Amino acid sequence: MTIDLSAALHDLVDGHRPGGPPPVDVPRVRSRARRRRAVHVGAVGAVGVGTAGAVAIGAMYVTGTRDARIVLPADPSTAPSDTATLDSLVILPSDPSAAPGECGSNISPLLGTPDPTLGMRASAWSDPSAQSGERSVPQPRPLGAFASSTVYLDVVSSLPEDGAGPPSTELSSTQDTLAMVEQSYSDRLAERDAGEAVKQSVLDDLAGAVESLRTSVEQKLAAGEETAPPTALARVRVLVTQDDRVVATATLPREGQSDADAAWDRTPSGLLRETVILDLVTCTVDGVGGELLPTGTYGALVVRDGEPLTGLTGPWTIVVPPQVAVSGLPGDFPTDVVPMPPGRLLSVSGDAATGWEVQISVEGLDRLNAAAALLTDVDDAEEEALDPLGATVIVPGWSVHVVPASADGQMTLVYRVTPD
Amino acid sequence: MAAWEQVLDDLVQVRGHALARYAALLTGSRAEAEDLLQEALVRCFGQVRPLRDVVAAETYVRRAMLNVFLDGHRRRKRWTGVRHLIARPAQVESPEAAAADRISVESALASLRPRLRACVVLRFYDDLTVPEIAQRLGLAEGTVKRYLSDAVGRLEDVLGPVMSSSERPDTVDIKEAR
């Protein structure tokens, strides 16, 4: 018997009658998509307010890439006399008197028996290749290098009670999104009132989103929908260390995050997962801190909040790559409206009349998001598309399409910059 | 309800199971397929640019699933752990032949390396040409031809002779693949 492969595959995929429960949790997908959209809407154009854990919305884009607000040192291969680095300006926290686990403290005396029920992995937000289908709690391992100053980590638990309680409802997820967007709108207004440059289009987008979400909430309430009742959720702490000293921290759920929003995802494998937003900035000792972590390799450890720190599990390692600006681009390349994350120029071709194709090496699993965040921060930029395959952003005078790639074992970004 | 939410609802209601089965062709595991589908849906509907058309959205979601799947398998090569479990089934001639084909093809696909599996799905389900597959996967056309040839060979080892009813110009047909 000969099998018709095309027919067999079409039969496999399409040869069934629709029926049964949907294969995915649609309200959960909708809720996650709403939050993701809200992050985009709320963060475009906002720069400089990325306080760790203060506001969930826009954390990735508000803080942007590590070079979004600073002047990077030049590539030493093209400017060998420039030996200054940002890293030399940063003092990592150290506080021998700090309580165990607090900023600057030494955790080496605490390390005991790791908790096998808790683990971490890079989230798909930061590592587009991350797979969420693991069947066991992730073990400590290198997570890779990240080009952004914010890393999204998925905390994974094998204890069902960590996510006890009912799942979020349509209403509660909408209310959460509304709260995030309202907070972002309020922040942007405060920035504008303080004299900072805030695009009117950003304010308009946020105002529209708030109005739409409020209407949606009112309609759901009028229809008698109920919000999710309060539920007990596990909270976890993530400590970032270097040489066993705590240099950065994060807590999940974040301050002010509602329980409905913080409800852990239940995966088909039975594991629970929730995302920690980890800012790669130094924690504060005696008013000193908040600086971008210098180049190096750091350890990340996790523990349930309130449990003994001897249960700290890890470290998963995170690499902060060198911060060297791309140099060597042609003089007429539009660098003012096509900013790039730290990296090294590999090739460039084209001209101002027909456009350019540029390939740079960028160390960072999240290099596409980092590149897209920089582009959308350009005045009057409009994001056309952002998905795992690439990003297209229209900046004044140019259409920029950027895709992640690799060359000779290096992580790269390929830019196609064409006249708009 | 926003327009994109309606599209999401319609897509899951009408094509959700088909998308999950498509994902299962790639993953070889239905549980993993649901995770893959969920992640792809969040990514596609979580972007600013709205998806307003169910048909376009389905194509977009399939592309996202493929990309996430391939990237993930660059590091994880778990297929090696189960490949030896796949045995060539006895050939069946019965009224249930189509159902048997379905099961055996699914099993045989699961025995392939992820990139080969992706090539087979793109070629024989999505009906893409070799150049289109090469572009989608970021591979040279020659590599795609080799992958397809290897994949068909391995499938025939398990399934016996295979053919395709949807040959197109500039594609590798079954005979050429062999």
Side-chain angles (χ1 to χ4, degrees), chain B residues 22-165:
Chain B
Y22 180 89
L25 289 185
L26 295 171
T27 63
S29 152
R30 299 199 177 187
E32 281 191 36
E34 290 177 5
D35 266 2
L36 181 62
L37 174 57
Q38 178 158 311
E39 195 62 39
L41 287 170
V42 170
R43 290 186 189 196
C44 292
F45 286 90
Q47 63 171 343
V48 174
R49 194 179 199 184
L51 295 172
R52 299 184 184 279
D53 176 80
V54 172
V55 175
E58 181 180 353
T59 304
Y60 206 76
V61 169
R62 283 216 301 263
R63 281 186 67 156
M65 284 196 294
L66 178 72
N67 196 63
V68 173
F69 165 76
L70 286 174
D71 280 347
H73 275 283
R74 286 183 185 126
R75 293 176 304 179
R76 302 185 316 152
K77 295 181 178 175
R78 296 192 305 171
W79 70 275
T80 51
V82 298
R83 190 173 162 205
H84 67 282
L85 299 175
I86 307 298
R88 179 172 177 160
Q91 291 188 359
V92 289
E93 300 284 355
S94 72
E96 291 78 30
D101 284 357
R102 188 184 296 163
I103 294 167
S104 57
V105 169
E106 196 169 11
S107 301
L109 264 180
S111 73
L112 298 178
R113 283 191 289 125
R115 273 200 179 278
L116 270 58
R117 207 184 310 154
C119 283
V120 168
V121 173
L122 289 175
R123 169 65 194 94
F124 297 108
Y125 178 80
D126 290 297
D127 201 23
L128 297 187
T129 63
V130 167
E132 288 168 338
I133 296 171
Q135 184 181 30
R136 184 75 61 86
L137 300 183
L139 299 171
E141 291 182 23
T143 306
V144 172
K145 287 181 180 176
R146 181 162 50 82
Y147 280 1
L148 281 170
S149 176
D150 290 350
V152 169
R154 291 182 188 282
L155 290 175
E156 290 194 326
D157 286 345
V158 177
L159 300 170
V162 299
M163 50 84 74
S164 171
S165 57

Side-chain angles (χ1 to χ4, degrees), chain A residues 126-151:
Chain A
S126 285
D127 178 0
S129 67
Q131 278 282 6
S132 55
E134 288 176 279
R135 292 288 173 268
S136 58
V137 174
Q139 297 299 302
R141 63 183 178 82
L143 294 179
F146 298 92
S148 300
S149 60
T150 297
V151 173

Side-chain angles (χ1 to χ4, degrees), chain A residues 120-325:
Chain A
M120 288 193 295
R121 65 182 173 223
S123 160
W125 281 86
S126 285
D127 178 0
S129 67
Q131 278 282 6
S132 55
E134 288 176 279
R135 292 288 173 268
S136 58
V137 174
Q139 297 299 302
R141 63 183 178 82
L143 294 179
F146 298 92
S148 300
S149 60
T150 297
V151 173
Y152 287 67
L153 301 175
D154 279 350
V155 175
V156 179
S157 166
S158 62
L159 294 185
E161 54 266 38
D162 282 344
S168 60
T169 64
E170 281 292 319
L171 175 56
S172 63
S173 76
T174 309
Q175 288 172 320
D176 280 314
T177 310
L178 172 60
M180 287 193 293
V181 177
E182 282 180 327
Q183 181 66 61
S184 181
Y185 186 41
S186 168
D187 289 346
R188 297 296 93 74
L189 288 174
E191 287 164 31
R192 187 190 62 177
D193 293 346
E196 295 182 31
V198 177
K199 293 181 194 173
Q200 186 58 45
S201 62
V202 170
L203 293 174
D204 291 344
D205 284 347
L206 286 169
V210 166
E211 182 62 30
S212 169
L213 286 164
R214 276 186 185 153
T215 302
S216 181
V217 167
E218 287 166 4
Q219 287 174 342
K220 290 178 192 304
L221 287 171
E225 289 189 33
E226 295 182 359
T227 192
T231 183
L233 293 166
R235 284 169 155 72
V236 296
R237 293 170 66 189
V238 175
L239 306 181
V240 178
T241 63
Q242 190 172 65
D243 296 334
D244 289 338
R245 276 182 298 153
V246 178
V247 297
T249 60
T251 302
L252 166 77
R254 304 169 295 279
E255 287 296 323
Q257 186 181 17
S258 74
D259 284 345
D261 177 46
W264 295 51
D265 280 325
R266 295 174 192 276
T267 70
S269 66
L271 297 172
L272 303 175
R273 68 163 178 256
E274 185 57 284
T275 302
V276 172
I277 299 172
L278 178 62
D279 284 328
L280 298 180
V281 298
T282 58
C283 49
T284 301
V285 174
D286 295 334
V288 177
E291 304 287 342
L292 298 173
L293 290 179
T295 301
T297 300
Y298 297 85
L301 301 101
V302 62
V303 66
R304 285 185 184 80
D305 205 19
E307 293 194 354
L309 291 172
T310 48
L312 271 170
T313 302
W316 287 260
T317 55
I318 292 172
V319 173
V320 175
Q323 303 294 297
V324 179

